Amino acid sequence: MPARKRYLARKAPHRLPSSRLVSTNLFDLWVEVWRKKVAKGDVIVVRYADDLVLGFQYRTDAERFLQAFRERLAKFGLELHADKTRLIEFGRFAARDRKQRGKGKPETFTFLGFTHFCGQRISDGAFIVWRITAKKRMVAKLKAIKAELQRQKHHRTTEVGAWLRKVVLGYYQYHAVPGNSTQLRIFCRRIGWLWRSVLIRRSQRAQVRWDRLTPLLTRWIPQPRILHPYPDARFAATHPQ
């Protein structure tokens, strides 16, 4: 995110018509016109389907856009989701400015399964938007895995292990972003606990000690590692100068 972006407005229109593709394309055209004709500062728009985040250089632009967007949606009988629409101070100077005003840390926001927050890169102290797996997303995934493990309780261990390996690797493919290592390790450990609990319940006499389970986990549950580069490295590779 560019250095001067300070204000974010999180929008998620609901009750969109069935022609969602047309609706979102019309939004892209409308917001581009608004950016050129109305905005006083820079504007960034990140949209996925009908879920989006907008960054504004000036708070006045963010407030003006939010009002205009609400009015435009109302013309089509639509409205913003009250629980998912927020105007927050965010960006490179947000922490410094809020501290000067005697306020706490900048707020966070959740987008596409990640909780985003202001931070600094460990290597050089440069500003960065850190992303960690949203708590609700991880809890939902673990619940789904637990249910499937219980369904496969009496299946062969190798069969269950092969399935778990695919699930965990798929999870890493999406969530293994810089700064998310701790959440990935938590996910990995909880998978081990879930599998152990299911193995124990195979029979009343079943006992699975950790010293016996560890080789099984090592074989089938891959350890987490970061798979994605930092956003600036990805951007540089996609848009070389």
Side-chain angles (χ1 to χ4, degrees):
M1 182 175 294
R4 294 183 296 171
K5 299 299 172 293
R6 298 180 54 195
Y7 296 97
L8 290 175
R10 172 73 186 279
K11 315 283 192 300
H14 63 211
R15 296 195 293 110
L16 287 175
S18 57
S19 56
R20 177 172 295 182
L21 179 60
V22 175
S23 300
T24 52
N25 286 341
L26 289 175
F27 167 80
D28 293 341
L29 295 173
W30 176 79
V31 74
E32 183 62 24
V33 171
W34 190 95
R35 172 165 36 194
K36 292 179 179 179
K37 293 186 176 182
V38 181
K40 303 300 182 182
D42 294 335
V43 179
I44 285 181
V45 181
V46 180
R47 181 182 64 78
Y48 183 82
D50 59 347
D51 200 6
L52 58 143
V53 171
L54 297 98
F56 299 87
Q57 182 179 351
Y58 303 121
R59 185 180 185 89
T60 52
D61 277 348
E63 293 171 342
R64 190 179 297 114
F65 178 88
L66 183 57
Q67 181 61 31
F69 193 28
R70 281 175 171 155
E71 292 174 356
R72 182 165 181 82
L73 288 175
K75 293 179 180 179
F76 300 96
L78 305 174
E79 59 185 7
L80 294 173
H81 195 301
D83 296 332
K84 295 183 178 180
T85 303
R86 291 190 298 147
L87 182 63
I88 66 173
E89 189 175 8
F90 195 92
R92 183 185 301 272
F93 305 114
R96 182 199 66 186
D97 294 346
R98 289 176 65 85
K99 184 177 180 180
Q100 291 176 352
R101 300 197 305 270
K103 295 186 177 181
K105 296 180 180 180
E107 295 180 72
T108 65
F109 66 93
T110 300
F111 183 59
L112 301 182
F114 289 99
T115 297
H116 297 66
F117 62 94
C118 299
Q120 292 181 319
R121 194 153 50 191
I122 299 175
S123 59
D124 55 10
F127 170 78
I128 189 171
V129 177
W130 288 118
R131 296 172 291 167
I132 61 174
T133 304
K135 183 178 180 180
K136 289 183 179 180
R137 173 68 68 92
M138 183 186 294
V139 169
K141 186 64 175 180
L142 289 171
K143 284 183 177 179
I145 292 174
K146 180 180 179 180
E148 184 61 21
L149 282 172
Q150 291 174 339
R151 192 187 70 82
Q152 298 188 35
K153 180 168 60 176
H154 297 292
H155 291 200
R156 295 172 57 184
T157 301
T158 53
E159 180 181 341
V160 177
W163 170 77
L164 268 179
R165 182 178 180 83
K166 291 180 180 179
V167 171
V168 173
L169 286 175
Y171 186 87
Y172 291 165
Q173 285 294 326
Y174 185 79
H175 291 91
V177 300
N180 201 30
S181 297
T182 299
Q183 295 298 97
L184 295 177
R185 288 193 293 268
I186 291 173
F187 178 81
C188 185
R189 287 198 298 269
R190 290 184 179 176
I191 290 294
W193 278 99
L194 288 175
W195 198 8
R196 179 175 183 268
S197 67
V198 170
L199 292 174
I200 289 175
R201 287 172 172 77
R202 278 188 170 185
S203 69
Q204 294 181 351
R205 296 182 178 181
Q207 292 184 2
V208 183
R209 299 192 305 270
W210 281 109
D211 58 343
R212 294 181 57 187
L213 183 62
T214 298
L216 193 66
L217 298 179
T218 301
R219 178 183 179 185
W220 294 113
I221 309 300
Q223 290 299 304
R225 62 186 182 89
I226 299 303
L227 301 176
H228 300 283
Y230 284 98
D232 56 349
R234 184 190 297 273
F235 183 85
T238 307
H239 305 279
Q241 296 182 351

